[in-house]
Amino acid sequence: MLPIIFVMPVVQLLVLSFAATFDVKTITVTVVDNSNSPESQRMITELSASGYFEIVSYSASMQEADESMLRGDAQMILGIPSRFGRDLQRIGQGDVQIIINAEDGATAGIIQAYSTRIFASLGQKLRMEEGIIVSNPPVVIISEPRHWYNPGFRYTTYMVPGILVVLVTMIGMFLSSMNVVREKEIGTIEQLNVTPIKKHQFIVGKLLPFWLLALVELAIGLVIARIVFDLPMVGSLFLVFGVAGVYLIVMLGIGLWISTMTNTQQQAMFIAWFFVVIFILLSGLFTPVESMPLWAQQVNRLNPIAYFIDVMRRVMLTGAGLVDVLPQVVSLVVFAVVVISLAVRRHRKVVS
Amino acid sequence: MSVIHVDKLTRRFGAFTAVDAISFTVSEGEVFGFLGANGAGKTTAIRMLTGLLAPTEGVAIVAGFDVAQHPDQVKRTIGYMSQRFSLYEDLTVRENIRFYGGIYGLSDVRIQAKTGELLDKLDLHGAAGYRISSLPLGWRQKLAFSIALLHEPRIVFLDEPTGGVDPITRRQFWEMINAEASTGTTVFVTTHYMDEAEYCDRVSIMVDGKIEALDSPSSLKEQFRADSMNDVFVRLARGGLSAEVSA
């Protein structure tokens, strides 16, 4: 227990302080450049030179850009109309369109402020450099922002799917992590171990009740979210529950694995708590994953909560389908297989 | 015919030898008493025989199978009632019977029949829907014993089944044990109540991880010129260690 007592707070302090940042960095952008002019090139360069934006792709059409945003590859779409260069030259004024994923309203607001400021200063620069024309009216670039998926910037719309995930996770993981160890404490595990029950039967038997319980809880939570918070449910509920089913196998499996390794309920609770807190704060529930340091983003590749919150938000708010969230689903399936194998292997019927 | 055959069975925990090369055989239908002071190694030995603990050295053949090689085969043919309480307290009597019946792969019909039979025998029909936690300890132990016999094992291992139980219930418990043995089931029982040793066909006495004596109670008393098994035990234990003797 000693290492746990000392190491856990240190790890949490380090991980959480760095990862739980409200800064918005590295905003991913896909560009639809219909103008393809020196002016539009200049604009794109200016955007990425600011340090806040990263041009991740060029899309041939608005539709392609939409898909990119739906997949989660881009947070912002910069649409430059074909007349942009000409208009700037002629009348000293050009329109661009920016579309921001506003699932997370706070982040969307910041993205809009950043981009508007960059465009405004570009307008000034162009006028000073008199590269275009020395025009009487000042050069103005007008951006028309559109906020998708959560136009009202509603906080609850963004937070409720994530909070639901956390609640279902906590209940499921704590219950399952205390379960086998509780049987060790009472002594009934001995009685089970002298029966011919197979290890996988044992683990599946332990998993199933909590799995059903957590799914029912998710259903109740969704009903409440709909009624009380008016949560939009754009995507397929089948998909939500399907992914939830896989996700819960992962989390309950981790719980059971902890349970087979520990000897008392306190130990199990402590370790489960440690993992849940780290997973939650890294998950992007409160702060955007894109703004976290690279190592934290790498850790998140192993964070089932991050995957599931991401899927929940995208399916519920943006209507993403199975194809859009396939990478996350595949990762969760891999985790499920690994975790359950570990739990089955770690469960000892014979003490050696 | 022997159903348990143990040859130089040894278990070490680090430098400590809990069970030190014990050898014995138990025949079919026998009530075999496994006696010893607290810490003499009884529980370690019984855990090896039931496949809960891997032996360090030696061989144990239970019901024809080597415990170390085929623990699951052994587990199918034995019943076990542990020192610690083994039923689920938050399930009812009927639910516990169903649960253990299911684990041993009994069919629903068979479980139904067994449940009726068991409740008749224990006169527990009125309490079938009660949670185990509401039953007195004596009833629970009798129920646990009956449930350990649910799948009709060839051998049943009882690890201090009567610990903390009042004398009358202990008496009834031993009547149940002897009745079961008369049907051909082998009973392997540990206890530290020496008066209970008198109910056994044969008794072994463990001291410091070794079996120091093994015979029928009457022969042992003769051999040690003692009036009771208690005297036999105290004499043996004194020779070995002056450990606490709970008689």
Side-chain angles (χ1 to χ4, degrees):
Chain A
M1 280 303 266
L2 259 187
I4 297 174
I5 291 170
F6 288 104
V7 172
M8 271 176 37
V10 173
V11 172
Q12 281 170 342
L13 180 67
L14 292 175
V15 170
L16 307 181
S17 311
F18 281 116
T21 165
F22 286 94
D23 294 350
V24 177
K25 296 174 199 152
T26 336
I27 302 150
T28 48
V29 182
T30 183
V31 178
V32 185
D33 186 1
N34 290 326
S35 164
N36 217 349
S37 57
E39 289 77 17
S40 69
Q41 287 303 326
R42 177 74 192 271
M43 172 153 220
I44 294 162
T45 316
E46 202 73 17
L47 199 63
S48 57
S50 72
Y52 292 107
F53 295 85
E54 187 193 343
I55 314 294
V56 288
S57 63
Y58 288 87
S59 303
S61 65
M62 259 320 190
Q63 196 190 343
E64 199 183 313
D66 287 0
E67 280 160 13
S68 176
M69 185 180 276
L70 205 56
R71 274 198 308 275
D73 295 343
Q75 287 167 281
M76 185 174 108
I77 301 171
L78 173 62
I80 307 174
S82 52
R83 55 168 203 281
F84 178 72
R86 214 171 49 227
D87 283 358
L88 266 188
Q89 292 283 2
R90 234 183 6 222
I91 57 170
Q93 178 172 329
D95 298 337
V96 294
Q97 184 181 34
I98 56 175
I99 296 171
I100 303 166
N101 182 341
E103 280 171 85
D104 177 0
T107 303
I110 293 170
I111 294 176
Q112 188 194 333
Y114 283 174
S115 54
T116 313
R117 206 181 312 151
I118 289 165
F119 295 152
S121 73
L122 175 61
Q124 283 203 319
K125 279 186 204 165
L126 287 177
R127 189 172 48 174
M128 311 270 277
E129 289 164 11
E130 38 83 45
I132 307 168
I133 47 162
V134 188
S135 64
N136 215 8
V139 176
V140 180
I141 295 166
I142 297 171
S143 62
E144 301 169 25
R146 295 271 183 284
H147 302 111
W148 280 8
Y149 309 132
N150 184 8
F153 282 3
R154 282 179 50 205
Y155 180 70
T156 51
T157 302
Y158 181 65
M159 288 307 284
V160 166
I163 289 173
L164 259 175
V165 170
V166 167
L167 296 183
V168 170
T169 304
M170 296 238 248
I171 296 283
M173 194 157 157
F174 288 149
L175 283 180
S176 65
S177 66
M178 311 254 272
N179 189 276
V180 179
V181 75
R182 176 156 181 273
E183 292 219 34
K184 285 188 203 167
E185 284 185 357
I186 320 173
T188 43
I189 194 85
E190 291 264 281
Q191 195 67 40
L192 287 179
N193 284 346
V194 291
T195 69
I197 189 171
K198 298 263 182 272
K199 292 205 294 187
H200 67 265
Q201 292 172 327
F202 176 82
I203 293 292
V204 169
K206 287 292 181 195
L207 202 94
L208 211 55
F210 299 121
W211 188 77
L212 286 172
L213 204 80
L215 283 178
V216 168
E217 250 181 70
L218 178 65
I220 295 172
L222 284 173
V223 170
I224 294 176
R226 181 80 198 146
I227 295 171
V228 179
F229 299 109
D230 197 24
L231 182 72
M233 295 183 182
V234 185
S236 147
L237 277 181
F238 281 114
L239 183 58
V240 167
F241 277 92
V243 180
V246 180
Y247 166 74
L248 283 169
I249 293 177
V250 178
M251 296 315 280
L252 298 178
I254 295 176
L256 284 180
W257 185 35
I258 292 173
S259 204
T260 56
M261 283 192 289
T262 47
N263 293 316
T264 65
Q265 292 190 62
Q266 282 98 322
Q267 283 177 352
M269 187 77 185
F270 218 55
I271 294 174
W273 176 248
F274 171 76
F275 281 113
V276 165
V277 168
I278 294 237
F279 279 165
I280 288 176
L281 285 157
L282 281 178
S283 69
L285 172 65
F286 301 110
T287 55
V289 174
E290 293 82 6
S291 308
M292 292 179 191
L294 191 65
W295 60 264
Q297 296 189 31
Q298 299 288 358
V299 172
N300 257 335
R301 285 163 178 269
L302 295 173
N303 182 355
I305 297 185
Y307 287 107
F308 189 46
I309 288 184
D310 193 27
V311 170
M312 278 284 273
R313 280 179 178 155
R314 291 227 243 132
V315 175
M316 309 267 322
L317 307 184
T318 74
L322 179 59
V323 183
D324 299 308
V325 294
L326 201 59
Q328 287 87 336
V329 174
V330 169
S331 302
L332 285 175
V333 169
V334 171
F335 289 162
V337 171
V338 170
V339 165
I340 294 299
S341 315
L342 283 174
V344 170
R345 276 189 56 155
R346 193 63 186 74
H347 173 55
R348 291 266 177 276
K349 279 190 80 180
V350 181
V351 180
S352 54
Chain B
M1 194 198 137
S2 79
V3 286
I4 302 177
H5 179 84
V6 175
D7 191 25
K8 299 200 184 74
L9 193 65
T10 303
R11 174 69 208 201
R12 290 189 206 94
F13 297 101
F16 172 66
T17 306
V19 172
D20 192 359
I22 59 171
S23 302
F24 60 88
T25 57
V26 180
S27 347
E28 186 124 45
E30 194 175 14
V31 179
F32 189 86
F34 203 60
L35 274 51
N38 292 334
K42 293 178 311 230
T43 297
T44 306
I46 207 168
R47 282 169 60 83
M48 285 192 280
L49 293 180
T50 51
L52 286 173
L53 185 70
T56 314
E57 275 162 33
V59 181
I61 310 283
V62 175
F65 297 103
D66 186 327
V67 175
Q69 310 284 320
H70 308 285
D72 277 350
Q73 250 92 341
V74 169
K75 283 167 185 179
R76 243 183 283 278
T77 50
I78 63 169
Y80 174 71
M81 177 182 162
S82 69
Q83 193 172 5
R84 296 168 79 185
F85 194 62
S86 54
L87 300 179
Y88 287 87
E89 298 204 3
D90 40 10
L91 295 183
T92 65
V93 172
R94 195 182 288 280
E95 286 164 347
N96 267 286
I97 299 173
R98 231 197 81 111
F99 176 71
Y100 281 111
I103 282 197
Y104 282 103
L106 271 55
S107 68
D108 284 351
V109 180
R110 188 110 178 278
I111 291 174
Q112 283 283 330
K114 278 280 176 190
T115 306
E117 217 173 277
L118 197 154
L119 294 175
D120 281 343
K121 198 170 77 183
L122 296 176
D123 200 16
L124 268 177
H125 269 290
Y130 288 12
R131 287 188 181 193
I132 298 296
S133 53
S134 66
L135 297 183
L137 183 66
W139 288 26
R140 294 189 202 179
Q141 297 298 79
K142 283 194 256 180
L143 183 63
F145 178 57
S146 305
I147 287 179
L149 295 169
L150 207 61
H151 58 294
E152 297 170 1
R154 281 178 70 191
I155 309 160
V156 60
F157 290 87
L158 309 172
D159 191 5
E160 309 210 346
T162 53
V165 174
D166 66 82
I168 297 167
T169 313
R170 270 171 57 198
R171 183 75 188 229
Q172 292 169 340
F173 198 91
W174 276 92
E175 280 165 13
M176 285 174 74
I177 290 178
N178 284 320
E180 188 58 36
S182 68
T183 69
T185 309
T186 308
V187 180
F188 187 101
V189 55
T190 75
T191 179
H192 53 232
Y193 294 111
M194 287 307 138
D195 56 325
E196 293 185 344
E198 311 270 0
Y199 297 115
C200 300
D201 295 324
R202 279 194 308 150
V203 164
S204 76
I205 299 177
M206 265 187 103
V207 180
D208 279 354
K210 294 195 178 78
I211 292 182
E212 293 292 341
L214 200 172
D215 214 328
S216 66
S218 53
S219 314
L220 282 177
K221 280 186 278 190
E222 212 170 284
Q223 196 183 326
F224 287 87
R225 295 195 199 86
D227 293 333
S228 65
M229 281 305 294
N230 201 28
D231 291 343
V232 172
F233 186 77
V234 170
R235 250 163 243 193
L236 261 176
R238 243 183 228 144
L241 83 170
S242 51
E244 130 209 40
V245 176
S246 21

